[in-house]
Amino acid sequence: MPGQQLNRVIIDSPTPRLGILTAGKSYLDVRQALDELGIDDALAAEIGIRLYKVGMVWPLEPEGVRHFAEGLEEILVVEEKRQLLEYQLKEELYNWREDVRPRVVGKFDEIGEWSQGNWLLPATGELPVATIARVIAERISRFFTSPTIAARLKVIEAKQKAAQTPIILAERKPHFCSGCPHNTSTRLPEGSRAVAGIGCHYMVTWMDRSTATFTHMGGEGVPWVGQAPFTEEKHIFANLGDGTYFHSGLLAIRQAIAAKVPITYKILYNDAVAMTGGQPVDGILTVARITRQLEAEGVGKMVIVTNDPDKYAEITDLAPNVPIRHRDELDTVQRELREEPGVTVLIYDQVCATEARRRRKRGKLPTIAKRVVINEQVCEGCGDCSVQSNCLSVVPVETAFGTKRQIDQSACNQDFSCLKGFCPSFVTVEGGTLKKGSAAVDSENWPILPEPQLPSTAQPYNLLITGVGGMGVITLGALIGMAAHLDGKGISTLDMTGLAQKYGAVFTHLRIADRPEDIHAARIATGEAHAILGGDLVVSASTEALSKMLEGRTRAVVSCTETPTADFTRNRDWHFPLAGMKQQLIETLGRDNVEFIDAQHLATALMGDALYANMLLLGYAWQNGLVPVSAAALDKAIVLNGAAVEANRQAFLWGRRAAVAPQKVAKIAGPIDGQPFVEPTLEELIASRIEHLTAYQDAALAARYQPRIAAIRTSATTN
C-alpha cells in the first residue's frame, strides 16, 4: 500500500508491557498462536501486548524498532532457525538510551546461555505454533492472568504431550514405486555396505539393505574420504542418482578420485528426476556421455548394468572397454568391482518404472502384452515374491485358507522381478489385456437427496485431508480450495508431501473463512482440526493426524480400506491392524464423531475403478456436513479441473447416497470380492493342504504330512 512502512506495529496497547517482534511465516504463526490462546486484538491491547511485524529483516531499520521498544518491559523475538533479528535488535538497543532497556528473549530465556541450554524457541527443527503459544502464555502470565488462556494452554500442552508419546500400530513410510529400478539396483553383495545421498534411492536407508548415512547433493560418498584411513573396511558403495550426478554429484566422484579411496559409485540412470515427479534432467545426459566424462576424470573400471542389453548394439560412443552386463548379473559385477583399487563406477541403466508407464500411455514406449497373476490356490504365502521384487504391487489377499498373495494389476508397472523366485503359483498371461472394471447396475429410483447444514466459516474452519502419495489427495484439496474460492470465501492450502508421492503419508491442510484476512497460519495447529477427511486409515491414525484432533471439536470420515504398507514387503506375516487403528480414532474423537467406510471397495464396485475412492469419500463427508462449500461450487470446480468430469460427478453423488442410505448402497455394491467370507471347515483345510502338496509335486513332503493330517482328523472326530 502507498505510504505504508515495511516494518510496522500491527497491535498496540495504551499500557504496553510485552513486545513481540517477528517476520514472514513466523508472523503468521504468532497470529495463529494468539488465536489459539483466545487473544484477539482487543484482548491483546488490554493485556499489554505490542506486535511488530518486520518486512525487511536485514538490515533492521533502527528508528522504527527503537520506537517499538519504548515503554516495553520485555521483547520476545519469534523467528525460525538462527537469531538474525534477535542479534540485530540487541545491537540497536544496547547503547541507545539507558531508560529504554527492555529484556530481549528469543532462542533463550533471560538467564539462558549456550552452555546452559535454557531454550525458549529452538533454532533447530520445526517451530510449531503450539510451542509459540506456550511461550507467549508463559511470558504474559507474569503480569496477567486469564482462566480462558490457561484452559486453552492446558489443551495445547496435553496434545503436545500426546504427540510425543505416540502409539504406532502401522506406519505409512514412502517406498519405491512398483517395478522401480531401485528395487534391484540398490541391492548389495553380502559383506558390503553402501552410503546414500539425495534421490529416491535415499529410501533404502530404512530398508534392510546395509545402507546408512546420507549427505547433501554433491557430497555422496565423500565422508568415506575421511573414514577410509582409520578403518579396516576395504571398500564401500555409494548410490548416486543421474539427476544428482548432473547437478553436482560429479564433484563427489572427483573428490574420491583425488583422495584415491576404494569406492564404487552406483550411478542409477533412470532417465527422469523421479523423486519430484518424473521431470526430464535439465540438460543433455546419456549413459555414453557419462562414461566419456568419467573416463576423462580418471575413473578406473566402469561397467554398465541394464535390463535391456540389446539396446546397446546401436550405441557406438561409449568410452572404450566398458562392458554391458544384464541386471541379473548385478551381484557378480558388484563383487568384481569391490576388488578393484581406487574409484570404480557401475552405471545401472533402467527407465523409471512410473515414467515408463506414463510413456506407454502416451505412445512413446511400446506396450508390454504380458501380465503376471498368482494362483491363490497354489500360493503358500511364503513371501519370497516380495523378497525377490521388493514390490508394493504384490499385496496380501485374505482367503478361507489364510493370507495369500495377489498382484495389484492397477499398480503393476510390469517389471516382472517378482518372477525371479521359484514359485509354481505364478502364471504369466501373454497377448492379453486387462479388463476394465464395469460400474454397478443401478435400477433404484433415488429421491432428491437432502441438503446438509454446512459448517460456519465466520471463523476459520480447518479441514485436514489425509491419504497416500500418488492417490489424488493433493487434487482433492485443490478441488475443495477452488470451490471455496468460487463461493467467495478465503482459503489457504498447505500440502505436506516430502517423499510422499512414493506411497508415503500425505497431508493437505485446508483453512476456509468468510474473510481471507482472518486466516493466519496455513498449517492446522495442535487440536484445531474441525474435520478430518481420511483417505487412508494408517495416515489418519498417525501421530501427526491425531495431534490435530480434539474430542468435542473434530469430526472425521475415514476410509477403512486395508491398503498394505511397505512393511509387507519385508514381513510376510504382516497384517493390517484394522481394529486397533479404528479404536485409536474412536478413543481420540469419541464414537459418535468418527465414521468409517470402505471407499475403495465402493468406488470399485459402483464406478468400476478404485481411482474414484477419494471423490466418493468427499461426497460422503459433504453430505454429513463436514465440508463448508456449496455443492454447486464443488461441481463447477470438477468441471474446471477437466478430468473425467462426469465420472467424478457420479462418484461424488454415490458418496452422498452412501451417507443417506448406506444399506441400499451396500446392497448395490455387493460384498467385497463378490462373496461373503465363510470360515472353512477342517475337512476343507485338510483338502487344501493336500492340493498344495500335490501342486508342488513333492511326494516326500506329502508323505511326511500324512501322519499329521491323520492325527488332526482323529482329534477333530474325537472332540
Side-chain angles (χ1 to χ4, degrees):
M1 295 176 61
Q4 192 174 51
Q5 294 178 314
L6 289 174
N7 303 349
R8 60 189 186 275
V9 173
I10 303 297
I11 298 175
D12 206 351
S13 170
T15 55
R17 303 186 67 174
L18 173 67
I20 302 175
L21 184 143
T22 184
K25 174 183 176 295
S26 295
Y27 165 75
L28 297 174
D29 290 340
V30 166
R31 294 303 303 263
Q32 183 62 29
L34 293 173
D35 287 348
E36 287 193 33
L37 293 170
I39 302 174
D40 58 16
D41 290 8
L43 181 56
E46 179 186 341
I47 293 170
I49 293 175
R50 177 182 287 164
L51 176 62
Y52 191 69
K53 180 183 179 183
V54 177
M56 187 171 72
V57 298
W58 179 272
L60 185 60
E61 189 273 318
E63 184 177 341
V65 80
R66 287 172 176 174
H67 177 69
F68 158 72
E70 287 189 277
L72 297 175
E73 298 173 8
E74 177 177 288
I75 297 175
L76 171 65
V77 182
V78 181
E79 57 186 326
E80 292 192 327
K81 309 308 179 187
R82 298 288 294 275
Q83 300 97 306
L84 180 67
L85 288 172
E86 185 181 342
Y87 285 162
Q88 292 184 84
L89 176 65
K90 289 176 178 176
E91 197 166 299
E92 294 292 349
L93 299 182
Y94 185 75
N95 284 326
W96 178 40
R97 284 168 39 190
E98 291 186 3
D99 62 322
V100 182
R101 193 66 62 81
R103 288 187 307 273
V104 178
V105 296
K107 295 304 172 188
F108 299 96
D109 62 22
E110 58 269 33
I111 62 172
E113 297 177 2
W114 284 98
S115 58
Q116 294 174 329
N118 294 323
W119 291 96
L120 276 183
L121 301 169
T124 58
E126 182 188 9
L127 188 57
V129 170
T131 299
I132 298 171
R134 178 180 53 77
V135 171
I136 292 175
E138 192 276 328
R139 305 314 289 189
I140 65 177
S141 68
R142 302 180 177 196
F143 57 86
F144 183 89
T145 57
S146 165
T148 301
I149 294 175
R152 292 203 176 199
L153 181 61
K154 189 174 181 180
V155 170
I156 293 169
E157 290 176 338
K159 296 301 292 185
Q160 277 195 306
K161 184 177 179 181
Q164 292 166 0
T165 55
I167 301 173
I168 300 175
L169 298 175
E171 191 174 4
R172 185 70 69 188
K173 279 188 176 180
H175 193 78
F176 297 140
C177 301
S178 298
C180 175
H182 298 337
N183 281 326
T184 300
S185 68
T186 55
R187 295 181 185 274
L188 293 168
E190 187 176 353
S192 288
R193 73 177 177 98
V195 292
I198 305 302
C200 293
H201 60 84
Y202 165 79
M203 291 184 282
V204 81
T205 58
W206 52 68
M207 301 176 192
D208 51 352
R209 293 197 172 179
S210 301
T211 302
T213 75
F214 64 97
T215 62
H216 59 281
M217 277 192 175
E220 287 80 4
V222 172
W224 175 240
V225 172
Q227 297 167 2
F230 304 101
T231 176
E232 295 181 357
E233 193 173 15
K234 301 300 183 184
H235 173 276
I236 69 166
F237 291 89
N239 293 318
L240 180 62
D242 54 355
T244 299
Y245 169 87
F246 195 76
H247 174 273
S248 55
L250 179 61
L251 300 177
I253 299 176
R254 186 177 295 162
Q255 170 64 17
I257 294 170
K260 298 181 174 63
V261 292
I263 182 172
T264 297
Y265 280 92
K266 295 203 292 184
I267 300 176
L268 312 175
Y269 185 89
N270 60 11
D271 196 18
V273 185
M275 182 174 66
T276 54
Q279 302 92 335
V281 175
D282 288 333
I284 301 172
L285 187 68
T286 66
V287 171
R289 283 173 178 257
I290 293 174
T291 62
R292 290 290 183 179
Q293 190 171 31
L294 294 177
E295 177 195 29
E297 291 287 347
V299 170
K301 186 172 182 179
M302 286 182 278
V303 179
I304 297 170
V305 175
T306 178
N307 65 327
D308 184 15
D310 293 340
K311 70 181 181 182
Y312 281 87
E314 299 178 359
I315 298 176
T316 59
D317 55 344
L318 293 172
N321 303 316
V322 178
I324 314 297
R325 309 276 286 273
H326 194 278
R327 72 174 184 178
D328 291 346
E329 300 181 70
L330 177 64
D331 187 74
T332 301
V333 171
Q334 290 184 105
R335 290 176 184 274
E336 293 171 359
L337 290 177
R338 72 181 178 183
E339 299 301 324
E340 295 284 331
V343 178
T344 56
V345 168
L346 185 157
I347 302 175
Y348 189 97
D349 175 19
Q350 183 179 340
V351 175
C352 165
T354 301
E355 183 60 23
R357 182 176 186 161
R358 292 190 187 109
R359 292 176 187 178
R360 290 188 194 109
K361 285 184 176 180
R362 296 166 185 168
K364 295 181 178 180
L365 281 179
T367 58
I368 301 176
K370 178 180 177 181
R371 287 282 172 175
V372 175
V373 295
I374 298 176
N375 186 333
E376 295 162 13
Q377 293 183 332
V378 178
C379 172
E380 288 285 337
C382 70
D384 183 61
C385 46
S386 292
V387 172
Q388 297 296 329
S389 65
N390 198 41
C391 182
L392 289 177
S393 287
V394 180
V395 297
V397 55
E398 298 300 329
T399 73
F401 306 104
T403 304
K404 304 300 183 72
R405 302 294 187 274
Q406 68 179 6
I407 304 297
D408 181 356
Q409 300 293 346
S410 65
C412 176
N413 284 327
Q414 297 172 282
D415 177 66
F416 306 124
S417 52
C418 54
L419 295 172
K420 298 298 181 185
F422 177 73
C423 181
S425 68
F426 275 74
V427 178
T428 56
V429 179
E430 300 190 21
T433 57
L434 287 178
K435 290 182 178 179
K436 290 187 177 181
S438 56
V441 177
D442 178 21
S443 57
E444 293 286 341
N445 184 19
W446 290 93
I448 297 175
L449 297 175
E451 293 286 325
Q453 180 67 43
L454 298 181
S456 170
T457 52
Q459 296 297 320
Y461 184 87
N462 303 323
L463 172 62
L464 180 68
I465 307 176
T466 69
V468 182
M471 301 301 177
V473 176
I474 307 302
T475 301
L476 195 64
L479 282 173
I480 298 173
M482 175 55 73
H485 173 70
L486 294 170
D487 275 339
K489 299 178 184 291
I491 175 73
S492 72
T493 305
L494 176 65
D495 299 320
M496 307 295 290
T497 55
L499 274 173
Q501 69 167 349
K502 305 303 178 186
Y503 303 99
V506 176
F507 301 91
T508 289
H509 297 242
L510 287 170
R511 307 196 68 213
I512 304 171
D514 290 343
R515 301 191 314 156
E517 55 267 30
D518 289 337
I519 301 172
H520 298 131
R523 185 169 184 170
I524 298 170
T526 303
E528 289 293 311
H530 292 96
I532 306 293
L533 190 56
D536 178 66
L537 182 56
V538 174
V539 182
S540 301
S542 67
T543 303
E544 173 70 15
L546 291 174
S547 71
K548 310 303 179 190
M549 305 178 196
L550 182 66
E551 187 173 2
R553 175 195 295 270
T554 311
R555 296 170 61 199
V557 170
V558 180
S559 175
C560 57
T561 303
E562 297 184 40
T563 306
T565 70
D567 289 331
F568 183 67
T569 64
R570 296 181 289 278
N571 178 6
R572 69 174 188 178
D573 298 319
W574 182 89
H575 285 279
F576 195 91
L578 178 66
M581 287 187 293
K582 278 186 172 182
Q583 186 61 32
Q584 208 165 0
L585 285 166
I586 291 170
E587 290 176 0
T588 301
L589 296 174
R591 185 64 191 89
D592 295 334
N593 294 321
V594 57
E595 292 189 59
F596 301 98
I597 67 167
D598 192 338
Q600 186 168 311
H601 165 63
L602 290 178
T604 303
L606 299 171
M607 299 293 301
D609 195 333
L611 181 67
Y612 299 102
N614 282 340
M615 188 57 68
L616 186 146
L617 188 71
L618 174 60
Y620 191 96
W622 185 86
Q623 188 64 39
N624 279 290
L626 270 65
V627 185
V629 294
S630 67
L634 276 171
D635 185 74
K636 190 171 181 180
I638 292 171
V639 173
L640 289 173
N641 187 49
V645 172
E646 291 307 318
N648 279 305
R649 281 173 163 168
Q650 189 65 24
F652 181 78
L653 179 60
W654 273 120
R656 293 187 62 192
R657 290 170 175 172
V660 173
Q663 298 300 325
K664 184 186 291 188
V665 171
K667 183 178 179 181
I668 296 171
I672 297 175
D673 294 333
Q675 59 181 10
F677 177 79
V678 179
E679 190 69 26
T681 65
L682 178 63
E683 292 299 319
E684 288 174 330
L685 287 170
I686 293 171
S688 172
R689 184 61 190 164
I690 293 172
E691 286 177 8
H692 290 173
L693 295 174
T694 304
Y696 276 109
Q697 296 182 342
D698 191 333
L701 189 61
R704 192 191 320 160
Y705 269 94
Q706 286 302 327
R708 292 170 64 181
I709 293 171
I712 292 172
R713 184 171 295 168
T714 301
S715 174
T717 304
T718 304
N719 294 330

